[in-house]
Amino acid sequence: MILLNTRPVERAHSLTQIFIHDDIEVIELPLLELTALPYSADLAQLYRQLSDTQVIVVVSPTAVDVGMQYLQASQIEMSSLANVQWIAVGQATAQRLKDYGISASIPEVETSEGMLQLPILQNLALRQVAFWRGLGGRQFMMESLQQQGIHILNFVLYQRRCPQTAIEQFQQLSSRLQTTIEPVYVCISSEASWLNWMKLCENNPEILSKCQYLTLGERLTQLLQHQQITGVQQLESLNPQSIRNFLLKQKGTA
C-alpha cells in the first residue's frame, strides 16, 4: 500500500511519521505551497475595522502567522480585540493561535461546513465576521454568511500554488504509479489541492482513475463524485491517527 501525503511541507511530517512502523509506504508530495502576500493599504484598512468585528475565522497556521505579523504592522494592540471570538479551522491552527495566547473554537469536522455549525456563527445578532485566509479559499463559507446579512472582512493574506518540486517529483513517480499493483491512496484536503492533483494528472488519466482518494468533508467528497471519480473515502478529520486507523483497516480487508 502507498499513501501520497499531499499536505503542505510544514504540516506533512506528523502524518508521515505515524506510519513509520507500518507496512505502508508514505511518499510526501505536497500539492500546496503557501506564500505570504505583501502588506498593503487595503489590508491596513481592514485591520482598522477589526475592533468592530465580533468573530475572526482563521483557516490555517500560515494565516495565523501572517495575520499576526500584519496586525503588528498595523500597530493594533491585542487588547483592542479582547471581545473578539476566534474560530480555528482545526487543531493545528488552534495550537498556533494558542502560541499567541488566543483561545479558539474548533469545529468537530475541520471544514467550512463544520465551522458554520459552531454556535458562535448561529448567533442571530452577529453583524461582522473577519476571515484570515489564502487567495481563493473559503468562498463557500463567506457566501453562506453573507446570505445571512453578515458583513465580511476579507483578509487575503497568502497565496496557494502547486510547488515546482511537486511537478518534478510527480514526473519521476508517474511511471511507477502507472504500473504498481499496490493500492495507492491520495490525501485530498481541499479543493485547491484537488485541482492541482488533476493538473498533475492531465497527461496521465490512468493514474487519476486508479488511485483511491481520502477526502476531507462532505462537500469535497461530493465534488469528486460529481466528476465521476470512483474510490472516494470521506475523512472527518486530518488527524494522523484517524488516517492511520482507516488505512490499516483497509489493508487488513484487502
Side-chain angles (χ1 to χ4, degrees):
M1 179 181 289
I2 298 170
L3 171 65
L4 297 186
N5 180 358
T6 64
R7 302 289 285 148
V9 170
E10 64 273 15
R11 301 181 216 167
H13 183 69
S14 59
L15 181 57
T16 298
Q17 284 298 107
I18 204 166
F19 289 101
I20 197 165
H21 298 300
D22 300 311
D23 187 22
I24 296 174
E25 181 182 0
V26 181
I27 300 173
E28 292 190 4
L29 182 71
L31 292 178
L32 290 179
E33 180 178 61
L34 312 181
T35 56
L37 292 170
Y39 184 68
S40 64
D42 288 342
L43 280 173
Q45 183 178 13
L46 287 171
Y47 274 102
R48 287 193 290 271
Q49 300 176 64
L50 268 186
S51 59
D52 297 323
T53 297
Q54 295 151 294
V55 177
I56 299 176
V57 178
V58 190
V59 307
S60 69
T62 299
V64 176
D65 290 335
V66 179
M68 289 298 177
Q69 177 186 340
Y70 292 169
L71 187 73
Q72 185 176 25
S74 301
Q75 299 182 325
I76 295 175
E77 299 293 334
M78 281 298 300
S79 58
S80 68
L81 305 180
N83 294 323
V84 172
Q85 298 187 72
W86 297 75
I87 293 175
V89 67
Q91 295 288 344
T93 303
Q95 181 57 55
R96 198 72 191 99
L97 283 169
K98 190 176 180 181
D99 293 340
Y100 289 91
I102 296 169
S103 177
S105 298
I106 311 169
E108 289 186 15
V109 180
E110 298 177 4
T111 62
S112 293
E113 293 85 347
M115 287 189 284
L116 286 169
Q117 296 303 312
L118 288 169
I120 297 173
L121 295 182
Q122 303 297 315
N123 184 351
L124 296 178
L126 197 60
R127 300 182 309 277
Q128 183 165 281
V129 175
F131 278 77
W132 288 8
R133 70 183 189 97
L135 182 64
R138 304 299 162 181
Q139 298 289 345
F140 168 78
M141 187 177 180
M142 291 191 296
E143 290 169 3
S144 296
L145 293 175
Q146 285 175 323
Q147 289 169 7
Q148 299 173 35
I150 296 169
H151 180 62
I152 300 298
L153 296 183
N154 183 10
F155 291 70
V156 181
L157 300 174
Y158 58 90
Q159 61 184 350
R160 302 174 296 174
R161 61 188 179 191
C162 187
Q164 181 61 35
T165 53
I167 298 171
E168 296 168 357
Q169 187 179 358
F170 181 81
Q171 291 172 346
Q172 296 170 0
L173 277 172
S174 58
S175 61
R176 181 185 175 195
L177 293 177
Q178 287 172 342
T179 58
T180 184
I181 60 172
E182 295 184 77
V184 179
Y185 287 82
V186 185
C187 183
I188 300 293
S189 58
S190 68
E191 184 175 351
S193 61
W194 172 244
L195 293 174
N196 286 342
W197 174 251
M198 286 199 301
K199 182 72 173 175
L200 290 178
C201 292
E202 63 182 354
N203 295 321
N204 297 277
E206 64 277 14
I207 295 177
L208 185 70
S209 61
K210 78 179 291 186
C211 290
Q212 303 284 314
Y213 297 98
L214 307 178
T215 50
L216 178 63
E218 183 177 355
R219 190 165 61 92
L220 189 56
T221 301
Q222 291 177 348
L223 173 66
L224 270 68
Q225 291 173 338
H226 288 163
Q227 295 178 4
Q228 310 302 312
I229 301 295
T230 58
V232 181
Q233 300 282 348
Q234 181 174 318
L235 299 173
E236 299 302 331
S237 168
L238 291 174
N239 177 274
Q241 186 61 55
S242 297
I243 296 174
R244 176 177 180 266
N245 290 343
F246 173 82
L247 288 180
L248 289 178
K249 183 178 179 181
Q250 299 303 304
K251 189 173 177 61
T253 57

